[in-house]
Each structure stands twice: as C-alpha cells, then as structure tokens.
Amino acid sequence: MKKLYYIIAAFVLLFGSTSCSDFLQKDPTESPSQDTFWQKKSDFDSALAGIYSVLYERPFSGVLPCWDGLTDNAIVRFSESTYGEVMNIAKGDLTPNQGGFVSDVYNNCYKGIARVHIFMEQLSNYQNVDITDEEKTFMIAQCKALHGYFYSWLYQCYRQVPLVTSSLDLNNMYQPKAERSAILQQILTDYNEAIADLPDKLYTEPEVSGRFTKAAVQALKARLLLFDAYDENGVAKKENMEEIQTVLESIRSGYSLASRTRDNFISTKQASSPEIMFSVRYLRPNLTNSMDKWYGLWSALTISRDLLDAFECTDGEKWGVSPLTVRPDEAVLYGTDKEAKIAEREKMFINRDRRMSESIFHSQKANFKMDGLADESIKLNDDNNESPTGFSMLKYIQPISETLTESVVSDQDVVIMRYAHVLLMKAEVENELHGPTEKALSAVNEVRDRSGQRGLRQPITQDELRERIRNEWRVETCFEGLRYFQLKRWKMMDKLNNLSDPGYPAYIKVYDPAFEFFPIPQTEIDKSNGILEQDPNYK
C-alpha cells in the first residue's frame, strides 16, 4: 500500500521535487543519464513516481486552500509566493510579471506534461520482458490521466496555451498558443483513453492506492465539463449537462461518505476513507508539508464573514433567518477588547451546521476542543499571528498532543476528489436539467444528512434549489480549491469586485472581467522569441 510513497520519497531524496534529473526537466536537454536510465522496470517505476511528484508543487499541494483567497471565502494575509501571491492577485495586481499562481500553474503543469511525454516515448521503445503488457497499459493510462489533469489546470487558468503532444527538442521547444477547443479536446481524449484502461478499483485498494483510478478520472472529467456548462449569462447549457450526467452515472458504486467531513482531512483516517477518490499522498519522514504551520500557527488564510454567514443553523434555515440564530454584538465583535471579542466570536458557532466547527477556528485560542469534536485537541501559542478577521482555517489542521510550533511538519494528504463532490455534481446537473426532482434532492441531502442538516424537501423551486446546492458546495468544500473555479463557471466572479470584510476593511478585493484568465508568464513570452504571444488583455 505504501510502495508508491516510498518510490516518490526516494525520487525526491535523490533528485529533489522541483529540479529533478535531466531526463525529466521541463526544458529539453541532452543528458548522459539517457544512456544509463530506462534499463529496467524499477527505472520506469521511479520515473512514473517522478511525474506524480509534480503534484507536490504549487498549485496542487498544501497551498490548495489559498485558492479560496481569490474568492469570497477567505483572505490570504501574506503576499509571498509560498501562498501563490494570492494577496496581490486578489487586490487586482495581476500582471504578466506576477509570480505565485500565475507562473506556478504554467511552469509546473508543463513540467509534468514534459515528463509524461518522455516517459511514454521511452516505454514505447522498451523491449525488456520485465514489464508485462498489462503493466505497460496501466502505466500509459496513468500518464494519460496525469497529462489530462495538468492540462485541465492550464485550461481553467489561462485563455490559451500551447498544446504539446510529444517531447520537445531545441528545434521546436517553443510552441504557439492553441485554440481553447483544441486544448479541451486533448484533455477529454486523455481522460477517455485513461478511463478505458484504468482499473475499476476503489482508491483504498492496495493496487491503486495513491494513483488514478477509473472512477477518479470519470469524476475529474465531469468536473472539467461543468466548467464550460454555463453560457456567458450563467444559464446552464442542456446538451453539456446531459453529457455530464452520463459521465456521472457511469462512475462505479462502492464509494460512500465518511462519518464526518473532517475525517477526510485527518492524516490517520485518510487512507481508509470510503469517500476519498484521489489525493496527493504524503508520508513521514520524507514527504511532508507545512499546512499545520501555515494555517494553524500563522493563520495565513483568514476566513471571511461572508463565508461564516453561509453556514446554516442546525434547523436547516439560513443563519440570521433561523430562530436559532445567536447574533454577536457587532460593535464588540470588531472592537478592541480582545476577551470581549472572543466571547462574541464564540456566539457565531452556536446552533450552527457542524461543518463550520470542523472547518474554522477562531481567536488563536491556546488550547481548545472543537464543538462536536471532543476527541480532538489543538494547542496554539502564537497570538502575534491571529487572523485579522478573527477566524482561521481548521479543515486541514491535525489534532496534536503537543503545542503547535514552528518545527511541526505534517503529512496529511491533500484531497483532490471525493465522493461528496460527485454527489453535489449530480445534484447540480439534475436540477439544471429537470428541476427539483427527487433525484436532485436525494443527492444533495445525502451530503447534508452526513452533517446532521435537515434535508431539503418539496415544495421548492428550481431557482431555490440551485441557490441551496451552490451554498452546499460552498460550506461542504470550502478550502479545497474549488470555489474560485465554481464562481468562474457560474459567471459570478463580479461579486468579488470591491469586496471587503468588516474585520479587515483595509483589504479590498478587485475583479476586472478582462482578467478572468491569468496572463502567460512574461518570462515564457520573452524566451519564445515572438512565437508565444501574450493574452491581448495584458498587452
């Protein structure tokens, strides 16, 4: 079960995660290692692990929650590239010279794509008998899934990018941008061919643990298709939704929801989760991340009041509307008396959807047990890093017995796809196609029931259910890197313009429709000698 992790760990130790040996570089090189590598099956195992190792880099890894800083869910309070430079991007400082996510998505996706092509070409020429035809088929299917996944990020983040379908050399290393339709078709081809050959096994099964399965790629395909399933006015396209529904209905049974949402984010429970369909796997001591430090100790992700208000009360009614609402004293909540503010913050969690206390904590309290999570204790001791809004992300932070300090490292997996996402996609698609049917209600209520929230019932209109499903997406999947792309697909990004938080009024978000997509990194434009052209909105 742990074999893949050990291979990746060995790969990282030998070559590093950001600049691996020459045969896997993003830029083509002539390397002596080509003559000595690719000699046996273990070389291919290591190389495949090297492709997977790209997933430990931004934007796929522990920085994934920072994507919520580009939405109404949260604010990234530090401007460093460590956090994707989200603070600057959210304020409207989006230029071709921007670092962080603007350059990281582009560079690391193409790094992974280059590794895929080299691997597949070497495997196609490999003649030794220590790799069976079945093993070759599995390896190629993994590569195609990875190729599609890397391109799906490029497709959603940039308007147009180069389409690379083979290894590059010094004569063709710079490519012009392709049409979006060509990129989309390549992703779908990659996914379809991977789906055809990947084993139809659950993610918990040892043979596929840590790798793509048929169901995971089917779910990723559905997610990608949803990105284009609404027109420029935010109205669902029927043909697209029908195609997505067909994909979703083809996903195997066997997955189910974990006992609580938070279990999917606790390191000791992730490997056995019946819900996780794909994740970026970590394993101490060599494969670790800094999520506990970034989000727990430093409160790098400060949570918005807008997100807090989105969590319902326990009766299933909206906070502020429900009679169970316990309102804080707003003047005290955002005042200067620290102890009084803490008391008002605690009121925000009374009678609320338990996913709120599973996802968010407040006040950098020194030693606390989360409401409803009596078995978990977290000790924090750095008041200087209290969130400006008073609320920070808890979802990925691990329960520990010792005090959380600078030296703590973590090995929780970063979840990419889980069964709850599939259920919410099913609910969204069914409602857009046929309205508030029992099928749509059943899918969304399965997610709600897990957290003790009252099920949605008739009578309810299509518009009302659409609003409830979108809010369910928000509270169930906050900090999982999905909201930014959901707002884009629903054509709701304009709600971010001039957005600020009462606890952090100096931080004002800016959204310009011209900047719906990132610019191509200027360094790539400069290196291409005129072959690669910048997005016209950034010229």
Side-chain angles (χ1 to χ4, degrees):
M1 182 174 180
K2 298 291 187 181
K3 183 178 179 181
L4 175 65
Y5 318 152
Y6 290 128
I7 293 174
I8 293 178
F11 188 94
V12 171
L13 284 175
L14 287 171
F15 303 118
S17 63
T18 59
S19 180
C20 299
S21 67
D22 290 342
F23 67 88
L24 291 175
Q25 286 286 4
K26 180 170 80 77
D27 296 327
T29 60
E30 294 298 329
S31 171
S33 65
Q34 295 281 10
D35 297 328
T36 57
F37 203 73
W38 313 109
Q39 301 299 310
K40 53 188 180 300
K41 181 178 182 296
S42 60
D43 292 340
F44 284 90
D45 289 336
S46 295
L48 184 58
I51 305 173
Y52 271 97
S53 75
V54 177
L55 298 180
Y56 294 102
E57 313 217 23
R58 293 187 298 267
F60 320 107
S61 60
V63 75
L64 197 66
C66 290
W67 284 93
D68 274 26
L70 296 175
T71 77
D72 47 358
N73 277 359
I75 297 167
V76 175
R77 60 184 299 215
F78 304 123
S79 61
E80 290 94 331
S81 60
T82 300
Y83 311 103
E85 295 193 21
V86 168
M87 182 180 196
N88 299 328
I89 297 171
K91 287 183 174 182
D93 184 12
L94 185 55
T95 74
N97 293 307
Q98 184 79 47
F101 285 159
V102 171
S103 58
D104 290 336
V105 175
Y106 193 93
N107 291 331
N108 288 327
C109 283
Y110 278 114
K111 178 192 293 185
I113 289 165
R115 294 181 180 185
V116 165
H117 291 310
I118 294 171
F119 182 97
M120 293 180 68
E121 289 163 11
Q122 291 292 334
L123 185 61
S124 68
N125 295 323
Y126 188 69
Q127 300 299 319
N128 291 357
V129 296
D130 59 338
I131 302 180
T132 66
D133 289 342
E134 182 180 0
E135 289 169 332
K136 283 186 177 180
T137 297
F138 179 68
M139 289 178 173
I140 291 171
Q142 293 292 310
C143 285
K144 289 178 177 178
L146 285 157
H147 193 268
Y149 185 65
F150 292 133
Y151 259 117
S152 72
W153 275 91
L154 293 166
Y155 181 76
Q156 293 176 91
C157 289
Y158 306 91
R159 193 181 309 278
Q160 290 178 288
V161 295
L163 177 56
V164 180
T165 57
S166 62
S167 292
L168 303 179
D169 57 33
L170 294 176
N171 296 316
N172 66 353
M173 63 186 296
Y174 298 114
Q175 298 284 314
K177 294 187 294 186
E179 294 296 325
R180 285 184 63 76
S181 59
I183 300 296
L184 177 60
Q185 186 55 55
Q186 181 62 54
I187 300 169
L188 294 177
T189 297
D190 288 334
Y191 281 168
N192 289 337
E193 292 180 357
I195 289 166
D197 289 332
L198 284 170
D200 196 12
K201 295 179 178 292
L202 296 174
Y203 193 55
T204 51
E205 296 184 56
E207 299 91 338
V208 294
S209 181
R211 300 194 179 193
F212 281 113
T213 64
K214 184 187 296 288
V217 179
Q218 289 170 320
L220 288 170
K221 177 183 175 182
R223 179 188 290 175
L224 175 73
L225 290 171
L226 263 176
F227 186 73
D228 285 330
Y230 294 85
D231 66 20
E232 60 184 13
N233 297 312
V235 178
K237 303 175 187 176
K238 183 178 179 180
E239 288 186 4
N240 296 58
M241 289 294 178
E242 289 175 339
E243 181 182 7
I244 297 165
Q245 189 167 68
T246 299
V247 175
L248 290 170
E249 289 177 350
S250 69
I251 296 175
R252 65 159 295 166
S253 60
Y255 286 97
S256 61
L257 298 179
S259 297
R260 57 181 186 177
T261 300
R262 181 160 161 78
D263 286 349
N264 295 294
F265 304 92
I266 301 297
S267 177
T268 56
K269 299 182 178 183
Q270 289 176 314
S272 61
S273 171
E275 182 173 349
I276 296 175
M277 301 175 73
F278 184 70
S279 60
V280 180
R281 288 282 176 91
Y282 287 83
L283 179 68
R284 295 174 185 268
N286 298 319
L287 293 175
T288 61
N289 60 63
S290 299
M291 296 179 80
D292 286 328
K293 180 167 61 177
W294 291 345
Y295 305 117
L297 188 62
W298 293 349
S299 291
L301 198 66
T302 181
I303 310 309
S304 73
R305 175 64 183 272
D306 198 77
L307 175 59
L308 293 174
D309 291 350
F311 286 90
E312 299 169 353
C313 287
T314 52
D315 60 0
E317 298 296 327
K318 293 181 179 180
W319 185 86
V321 174
S322 167
L324 298 180
T325 299
V326 178
R327 293 184 179 274
D329 184 321
E330 299 287 337
V332 177
L333 182 65
Y334 300 113
T336 57
D337 187 323
K338 181 177 179 179
E339 294 303 318
K341 285 195 293 185
I342 291 175
E344 296 307 307
R345 291 170 188 165
E346 289 175 346
K347 291 180 182 178
M348 299 288 291
F349 290 80
I350 297 174
N351 299 331
R352 302 297 289 275
D353 181 338
R354 73 184 185 207
R355 287 173 293 189
M356 183 171 173
S357 60
E358 291 182 8
S359 304
I360 299 167
F361 73 93
H362 71 86
S363 308
Q364 290 293 111
K365 294 171 67 176
N367 186 5
F368 66 94
K369 293 181 182 292
M370 289 72 77
D371 181 29
L373 309 177
D375 58 322
E376 297 181 16
S377 179
I378 298 174
K379 297 180 181 180
L380 305 171
N381 67 350
D382 191 347
D383 290 337
N384 293 327
N385 285 310
E386 182 176 345
S387 160
T389 66
F391 301 90
S392 299
M393 186 195 78
L394 172 66
K395 197 168 201 173
Y396 266 108
I397 298 174
Q398 303 303 292
I400 56 175
S401 56
E402 70 270 21
T403 299
L404 185 58
T405 66
E406 297 272 351
S407 63
V408 169
V409 293
S410 318
D411 68 351
Q412 64 269 51
D413 302 337
V414 177
V415 179
I416 303 300
M417 180 63 70
R418 53 191 179 93
Y419 182 58
H421 301 173
V422 172
L423 288 171
L424 292 177
M425 284 192 283
K426 286 183 175 182
E428 179 177 344
V429 169
E430 174 66 14
N431 185 57
E432 295 299 343
L433 281 173
H434 305 118
T437 64
E438 288 305 312
K439 183 177 180 180
L441 291 171
S442 176
V444 69
N445 284 339
E446 188 171 344
V447 179
R448 293 173 61 82
D449 290 347
R450 187 253 300 272
S451 294
Q453 289 302 103
R454 180 181 297 176
L456 304 179
R457 298 185 293 272
Q458 301 285 6
I460 187 171
T461 68
Q462 183 182 45
D463 289 343
E464 289 170 340
L465 184 55
R466 179 183 298 116
E467 180 184 349
R468 299 301 290 266
I469 290 171
R470 290 180 178 182
N471 195 69
E472 198 66 23
W473 268 119
R474 189 178 188 187
V475 300
E476 172 68 26
T477 70
C478 58
F479 321 131
E480 295 179 48
L482 300 181
R483 177 111 176 130
Y484 174 69
F485 301 103
Q486 290 167 349
L487 292 178
K488 289 179 75 170
R489 85 166 179 246
W490 295 327
K491 308 302 185 286
M492 294 173 62
M493 289 292 287
D494 57 350
K495 71 178 295 186
L496 304 177
N497 198 36
N498 294 318
L499 187 67
S500 63
D501 190 275
Y504 201 173
Y507 192 112
I508 301 174
K509 293 187 176 180
V510 176
Y511 174 71
D512 185 334
F515 298 160
E516 178 182 3
F517 293 98
F518 290 167
I520 301 295
Q522 190 60 43
T523 53
E524 298 301 314
I525 300 291
D526 295 341
K527 288 189 296 185
S528 75
N529 297 316
I531 295 175
L532 185 61
E533 296 183 357
Q534 185 56 265
D535 185 320
N537 288 334
Y538 294 92
K539 288 184 176 180

